Amino acid sequence: MNAQAFWNVIGNYNRQTWIIQIVLLMVVMFAIMLSYNQKVKWAAKFMLGIANLFIGIAFFALYGTEPIQKFFALPLFLICGGLFLCESWRKKDDTLDKPNAIQKLLLLLFGIYPVVSIALGNSFPQMVTYIMPCPIISLSIAVYAGYKRKNKALLVLMTIWGLTGIKSVIYNAYEDIILLICGLYGLVLLFNEMKVPKTK
């Protein structure tokens, strides 16, 4: 997949879905606030599930043009979305702790994703917005890190996508260095989860 094909997919997606993106972003942010405030503990997981499913279906299934998008990215996001929804149901009472210093930094980096894209010379529609694959996985990792009980399979999949941030230098999408940072944090979370002994 070449850089121009990469940006063409982004442009087509943004032109056709920008209104849905705005609405979905507001709902996702509201759900995350509800969970951080312990009002609806499962809300963040539920809406991150919806957001990941939306990316899989809208970005990759509808607008994707390359085999790697259809056969790698599409199933990855669908599985992540499904696992988030499953977690929101099975672990309804799992609390979302307030973000620590690292998680706050990652949330800040997510917040400036489009700003960085514009600063790098991109403009709408061929720019990175919040409801796109890399920002959504970055947000998902940063928020999910705050839950006490974590699904290792979900962490593995999000971390795999996070580490694809290395492509930032291939496609001139240097804003995806943010994704790579989140992917490296995902590795740390996985390592910590592996160290925790199983409880009956």
Side-chain angles (χ1 to χ4, degrees):
M1 182 177 182
N2 61 46
Q4 190 56 53
F6 172 82
W7 285 106
N8 285 343
V9 170
I10 288 174
N12 291 333
Y13 165 80
N14 278 337
R15 270 191 295 269
Q16 300 298 321
T17 67
W18 66 271
I19 295 176
I20 300 172
Q21 288 187 55
I22 292 171
V23 173
L24 186 55
L25 177 64
M26 290 190 296
V27 177
V28 168
M29 292 297 104
F30 182 64
I32 291 171
M33 286 194 309
L34 286 176
S35 292
Y36 273 133
N37 292 325
Q38 309 302 317
K39 302 292 186 184
V40 186
K41 297 175 183 178
W42 50 268
K45 289 180 184 176
F46 181 81
M47 283 311 303
L48 287 173
I50 296 298
N52 277 273
L53 288 175
F54 176 79
I55 294 298
I57 295 168
F59 191 93
F60 292 114
L62 296 181
Y63 295 99
T65 59
E66 307 299 315
I68 194 169
Q69 295 175 324
K70 301 291 188 181
F71 299 109
F72 170 63
L74 171 58
L76 185 147
F77 275 85
L78 293 181
I79 295 170
C80 282
L83 288 174
F84 264 121
L85 292 181
C86 185
E87 289 284 293
S88 73
W89 174 257
R90 291 176 59 243
K91 299 175 183 176
K92 290 181 180 179
D93 294 327
D94 192 13
T95 57
L96 178 60
D97 292 336
K98 292 294 174 64
N100 60 27
I102 295 175
Q103 291 154 17
K104 284 179 181 177
L105 174 61
L106 298 184
L107 291 170
L108 174 63
L109 290 175
F110 165 79
I112 64 171
Y113 231 118
V115 177
V116 174
S117 190
I118 292 170
L120 289 169
N122 300 311
S123 59
F124 190 86
Q126 290 194 346
M127 61 171 284
V128 177
T129 57
Y130 291 115
I131 307 297
M132 288 185 59
C134 300
I136 283 297
I137 287 294
S138 299
L139 178 64
S140 297
I141 291 173
V143 173
Y144 194 55
Y147 280 101
K148 290 181 171 60
R149 293 179 288 172
K150 299 179 180 68
N151 183 306
K152 292 185 180 68
L154 177 55
L155 265 181
V156 167
L157 291 173
M158 292 194 297
T159 299
I160 288 172
W161 190 267
L163 295 177
T164 67
I166 194 69
K167 72 182 182 305
S168 58
V169 296
I170 300 172
Y171 297 128
N172 297 320
Y174 295 104
E175 51 270 77
D176 281 343
I177 291 172
I178 295 171
L179 173 67
L180 181 58
I181 293 169
C182 293
L184 293 172
Y185 184 57
L187 276 180
V188 173
L189 295 175
L190 267 174
F191 179 73
N192 290 338
E193 284 297 304
M194 297 300 181
K195 291 195 304 181
V196 175
K198 289 183 178 179
T199 55
K200 294 183 178 179

